[in-house]
Amino acid sequence: MLALEMVVILGVTILICTVVARRARVAPPILLLVCGVLLGFIPALRGVQLPPEAVLLLFLPALLYWESITTSLREIRKNLRGIMLMSTLLVIVTAAAVAVVAHQLGLAWGPAWVLGAAVAPTDATAVAALTKSLPRRNVTLLRAESLVNDGTALVLYSIAVAVTVGEITLSPGYLAGSLALSYGGGALAGALVAGLVILLRRRTGDALTENIVIVLTPFAAFLVADLIGASGVLAVVVAGLIMSQAGPRVGRADSRQISESFWGLSTFLLNASLFVLVGIEVQAAVRGLSMSQLGDGLLAVGAVSVLLVAVRFAFLFGSAYLIRLVDRRPSQRARRQTHGARVISGMSGFRGAVSLAAALAVPRTVASGAPFPDRDMIVFVTTGVIVVLLVIPGLLLPAIVRWANLPTDTGVDTERRLAEVYANEKALEALPDLGRESGATDDVIERLRTEYADHLDVLRAEPDEAEGTETLARHDHYSQLRLALIGRKRAAVVQLRDEGRIDDIVLRDIQDRLDIEEVRIVGRGHAE
């Protein structure tokens, strides 16, 4: 029964927080996290815990796939060096720094490295939710970093746990081999699964079957990589990036409509649920410590949180100046960021559910049967760090963005307009030949030509010119009239259903077509 109650509680919490966050102009993850902490005080929910397997095997593949398939591969290629440095070297440096501080605070080296590896990676879902207002390049850098760095951190984490448990003896060769297998095997697994998915999607005959293949893609990539001991995270990311390039060529229009709606809603709910569950987990983390340990734990949370921000800032600014000394090419100068942009990146090192899942997955015993040293402290500190680095930077980030005064990113709008104009011009050029091939009469061709020509005039219109203003005004009136007519058509069809003259099946079919037409008109208006 608790499972059903939990579904309802999560749904209501997400609904309330989403509405309040929009009106209060606060990032939803912060409210969701706070509400999760408050829900943890309810006695019936004190037994609720976030299973690490659910995060690593269910939540993570779906969320990472959606993030990778919706990110910009072009921007990743442009900034590949910086992304790889932050997703590999920064993770290793961060884990080492945390391990040193944790050891100074009383943890043995094994648990200290486990803690360092757990809190080293930034969280893709938190970054995506809290950095939407940033320019495209900044968002792409942060998202790409958080998509890849989980693989590095989880390799370090698994090695640290295995050494502490007593399963392996660490050596430089073992570490290098593990990283090579993680990245090479993960990339290969993702590419193989993506290739198979492309073949299957080309042979599916309907949208429903194709979307079953799409839903299976991230989980299949993660599974294949996991079977060979490689990074499932990287496999999902590689599969997503490949499908982002191949999808427009192999997919069907109706399939894409279903896929966009499904992934948009499901990833939003998964993401929001994770923040609530992380908040609830705070209670369990506190109960795992005695009162004497609680003070040490709070001190560790503060120290590790400050250290993570300091290491990130030092790496961002230090690596930038080092690269300037080594690489003086004009192309490198064009990629340079302002100090304000680096400050924003430094404050955007959010931690999330992956870190908590790693901490919760720490085994309870070592090979000898003795308890895993400082396991409860690792869970508590990781949970505390997640809360601190979500709430404080999340609240400060809007003010920092205003202070940084980054230039307005008009690139997406400009490129969208270029693509629309170019596509319509090519369609108009091909219309006479296509009309003859299809056997269409001259009046049909002329009707379609007029419609495309009018739309092209709207796309080319400049709002600051008199002729452009008049063209846009006519288009707005035309769109409003079409929307009003669609509303009348929808009401008429509903009336026929209410009178029993048509079946609900017929209503839904016609309503779906009207909805698509309405969304197309409204979406076109927003784009223009």
Side-chain angles (χ1 to χ4, degrees), residues 200-278:
L200 291 175
R201 290 181 63 178
R202 282 176 174 163
R203 286 163 173 76
T204 53
D206 61 274
L208 184 60
T209 306
E210 184 176 347
N211 271 280
I212 293 174
V213 176
I214 293 172
V215 171
L216 288 174
T217 302
F219 303 102
F222 198 100
L223 176 61
V224 172
D226 189 61
L227 290 175
I228 63 175
S231 171
V233 170
L234 191 61
V236 173
V237 172
V238 169
L241 291 174
I242 292 175
M243 294 312 304
S244 72
Q245 304 303 300
R249 294 185 177 90
V250 301
R252 299 159 48 96
D254 52 354
S255 174
R256 284 193 293 270
Q257 289 284 321
I258 297 174
S259 181
E260 289 282 338
S261 301
F262 169 78
W263 284 107
L265 177 61
S266 60
T267 53
F268 171 79
L269 292 175
L270 287 174
N271 195 0
S273 299
L274 276 177
F275 288 116
V276 178
L277 291 171
V278 168

Side-chain angles (χ1 to χ4, degrees), residues 294-522:
L294 189 58
D296 295 336
L298 291 173
L299 175 63
V301 168
V304 172
S305 299
V306 172
L307 178 66
L308 289 174
V309 176
V311 169
R312 186 173 180 84
F313 268 90
F315 188 90
L316 285 168
F317 282 89
S319 62
Y321 288 118
L322 181 61
I323 291 173
R324 288 185 184 184
L325 290 175
V326 176
D327 190 350
R328 296 182 175 274
R329 293 175 301 168
S331 59
Q332 168 58 30
R333 295 193 185 99
R335 287 196 293 265
R336 290 178 181 175
Q337 290 184 315
T338 63
H339 291 316
R342 290 196 189 90
V343 171
I344 292 174
S345 297
M347 293 299 294
S348 300
F350 308 107
R351 268 60 179 181
V354 175
S355 295
L356 183 57
L360 293 175
V362 174
R364 296 189 177 275
T365 59
V366 297
S368 64
F372 192 99
D374 298 307
R375 182 185 186 278
D376 291 337
M377 182 64 72
I378 293 173
V379 174
F380 177 81
V381 174
T382 303
T383 306
V385 167
I386 292 170
V387 173
V388 170
L389 293 186
L390 275 176
V391 174
I392 296 179
L395 292 174
L396 293 177
L397 193 58
I400 295 173
V401 171
R402 290 193 296 270
W403 165 81
N405 194 27
L406 299 178
T408 303
D409 185 6
T410 60
V412 174
D413 293 333
T414 302
E415 292 174 9
R416 181 187 293 116
R417 185 179 181 185
L418 169 66
E420 291 246 10
V421 170
Y422 184 77
N424 276 270
E425 288 174 345
K426 289 299 181 182
L428 276 174
E429 290 176 9
L431 181 58
D433 293 335
L434 294 175
R436 284 192 295 270
E437 291 175 6
S438 64
T441 58
D442 291 340
D443 59 324
V444 172
I445 297 174
E446 180 59 25
R447 177 184 172 186
L448 196 56
R449 190 203 66 78
T450 301
E451 180 181 339
Y452 268 72
D454 290 343
H455 182 46
L456 194 55
D457 288 340
V458 173
L459 292 172
R460 290 170 171 168
E462 297 291 344
D464 53 350
E465 297 179 359
E467 183 178 351
T469 301
E470 183 179 351
T471 299
L472 293 174
R474 285 200 308 269
H475 174 69
D476 289 341
H477 295 154
Y478 175 74
S479 298
Q480 292 170 9
L481 181 58
R482 287 191 64 185
L483 290 173
L485 290 173
I486 289 173
R488 291 297 180 90
K489 291 166 70 175
R490 185 181 288 113
V493 176
V494 172
Q495 180 181 352
L496 288 176
R497 191 280 310 272
D498 293 341
E499 294 174 355
R501 298 167 63 184
I502 63 172
D503 189 71
D504 287 295
I505 296 175
V506 177
L507 168 65
R508 284 193 295 269
D509 182 54
I510 296 178
Q511 185 172 257
D512 183 55
R513 299 179 188 180
L514 294 174
D515 289 344
I516 292 174
E517 184 179 359
E518 180 178 335
V519 169
R520 184 170 64 88
I521 295 171
V522 174

